[in-house]
Amino acid sequence: SSGINAEYGDSVQSVLHCCGVNKTTDWKDYNHPLAPPESCCEDQTKCNYSTAYQDGCFTVINTFVNHNSKYIGFGVLGVALVELLGMSLACYLRTFIIKRTEYLEPHAA
């Protein structure tokens, strides 16, 4: 499982251009005393703490969510409205089918 976690962390750092949770030096606490993982650097051949991305990933994600919260909220609201519309149409269809069945077979038990 540590391989999967390492790949996940590396991909997050590469895509978001961040390093560590709060800052680059967080990696010193996790068996990286000389240099952070290569995913922390733009130039992976010369990766050290001075050339690594300086922003922590939590900071980058937090900033992204705060700057885009309006759009995230509208997206969630849009999905909720589509779900409500789908449920309403399903209830209407159910009622239509029951009424149609009663009309075609009024004395069926």
Side-chain angles (χ1 to χ4, degrees), residues 69-85:
S69 59
K70 178 176 30 173
Y71 305 112
I72 294 169
F74 285 139
V76 168
L77 186 61
V79 169
L81 289 174
V82 168
E83 291 290 327
L84 284 172
L85 178 65

Side-chain angles (χ1 to χ4, degrees), residues 83-103:
E83 291 290 327
L84 284 172
L85 178 65
M87 289 189 316
S88 299
L89 291 174
C91 290
Y92 173 76
L93 181 61
R94 178 186 172 273
T95 304
F96 178 77
I97 290 171
I98 288 173
K99 285 183 180 180
R100 183 172 175 258
T101 304
E102 289 174 357
Y103 176 74

Side-chain angles (χ1 to χ4, degrees), residues 24-37 47-50:
T24 305
T25 55
D26 289 344
W27 282 108
K28 288 183 180 179
D29 298 333
Y30 295 98
N31 297 325
H32 291 279
L34 301 176
C47 191
N48 58 46
Y49 283 104
S50 62

Side-chain angles (χ1 to χ4, degrees), residues 9-11 13-14 18 27 36-42 44 47 53:
D10 286 342
S11 64
Q13 292 178 147
S14 293
C18 59
W27 282 108
E38 292 176 350
S39 61
C40 282
C41 298
E42 188 78 38
Q44 295 183 352
C47 191
Y53 303 124

Side-chain angles (χ1 to χ4, degrees), residues 48-65:
N48 58 46
Y49 283 104
S50 62
T51 61
Y53 303 124
Q54 296 302 308
D55 293 330
C57 292
F58 178 78
T59 306
V60 171
I61 293 170
N62 193 30
T63 303
F64 175 81
V65 169

